[in-house]
Amino acid sequence: MTEEFRGFNAYGPDGEPAASRWSDALTLFSAPDAADAASRWERAGTLFDAKDYAGAAKLLAAVVEEYPEQVAPRLLLARAYYHSAQLRRAETELRAVLDRDPVEHYAHLMLGRTLQRQGRDEEATGALRTAEALGA
């Protein structure tokens, strides 16, 4: 039996479960959002692929908060917000991506589509033209 399971299965001298039994159980069976950023990133990708955009957004928001300089998680977060109709949040994340990487053509395309869905066609035109010029 591994060391991590010993604490979960431990009993005191009186035959009662060890006091730490439930805290050990929480550690063993913790939710994916309690894992490290790489695990959350992987889990978020799985949720996104399964079209659970709100669930993916929840995990990705934590990753983005922890690593704000990274573009990939922020872009996937924007996509999750877009697909779950959280358009203002998607716009905010896309603008943050473009602040960090102004030639990210997919972010320009998504920003244009996000603005269109909000009925802001005039603003969308500029983003879509930039995306087209960059090859999106």
Side-chain angles (χ1 to χ4, degrees):
M1 182 179 295
T2 64
E3 185 62 37
E4 63 188 72
F5 286 101
R6 281 194 187 110
F8 180 69
N9 292 321
Y11 289 89
D14 59 355
E16 291 293 318
S20 65
R21 179 182 174 115
W22 298 115
S23 65
D24 291 343
L26 291 174
T27 302
L28 287 173
F29 307 110
S30 63
D33 59 337
D36 64 11
S39 297
R40 283 180 276 146
W41 164 254
E42 186 177 311
R43 176 77 176 137
T46 301
L47 290 172
F48 188 90
D49 291 342
K51 299 184 187 297
D52 180 359
Y53 302 118
K58 181 179 175 184
L59 291 174
L60 289 164
V63 173
V64 166
E65 185 176 321
E66 193 172 339
Y67 297 98
E69 71 284 353
Q70 296 294 320
V71 171
R74 194 176 289 273
L75 188 56
L76 188 57
L77 175 59
R79 291 177 62 201
Y81 283 150
Y82 177 86
H83 287 296
S84 61
Q86 298 179 60
L87 301 177
R88 293 281 182 185
R89 288 181 173 177
E91 179 184 352
T92 299
E93 295 303 326
L94 290 165
R95 291 190 187 281
V97 166
L98 292 171
D99 285 345
R100 287 163 177 76
D101 187 359
V103 295
E104 173 55 64
H105 64 281
Y106 190 68
H108 284 285
L109 177 63
M110 278 198 62
L111 179 60
R113 298 285 185 236
T114 301
L115 293 169
Q116 281 179 330
R117 282 184 67 185
Q118 294 179 63
R120 296 161 56 192
D121 293 333
E122 193 172 309
E123 289 177 76
T125 301
L128 294 172
R129 283 187 183 149
T130 302
E132 185 177 346
L134 292 172

